[in-house]
Amino acid sequence: MGKIAFKSRIKELRARYDLTQEELANKVDVRRETIGHIEKGKYNLSLTLAYKISRALNSTIEEVFIFEE
């Protein structure tokens, strides 16, 4: 199995709910910079954090993150 990459729709979904990076970060208990790095694809997050972000955005993991092989 090759490397699995993913794209994030966090920025798009944050806009839908009028959330800043800071507000989302506070909801999921991480720093604002972490949300920024995830949005840019520069952070390999845990499944737990992906779940927390998805819940905070009223979405499923599959709706927030698009996985590619």
Side-chain angles (χ1 to χ4, degrees):
M1 179 182 278
K3 184 178 179 182
I4 298 174
F6 69 91
K7 292 181 183 177
S8 158
R9 293 182 57 222
I10 294 173
K11 188 173 184 177
E12 172 190 339
L13 294 168
R14 276 193 310 100
R16 179 185 298 174
Y17 295 106
D18 197 30
L19 288 172
T20 65
Q21 286 182 344
E22 185 77 31
E23 290 167 332
L24 179 58
N26 289 336
K27 286 179 175 268
V28 299
D29 199 30
V30 297
R31 294 176 39 198
R32 182 205 53 81
E33 292 84 0
T34 302
I35 299 299
H37 289 307
I38 295 168
E39 288 181 356
K40 293 176 185 172
K42 296 182 177 184
Y43 187 89
N44 199 5
L45 70 162
S46 69
L47 182 56
T48 302
L49 181 54
Y51 176 77
K52 287 180 179 180
I53 290 170
S54 298
R55 296 279 297 190
L57 296 171
N58 297 315
S59 302
T60 65
I61 289 175
E62 292 85 1
E63 291 170 327
V64 178
F65 302 97
I66 297 107
F67 294 89
E68 303 171 336
E69 286 192 52

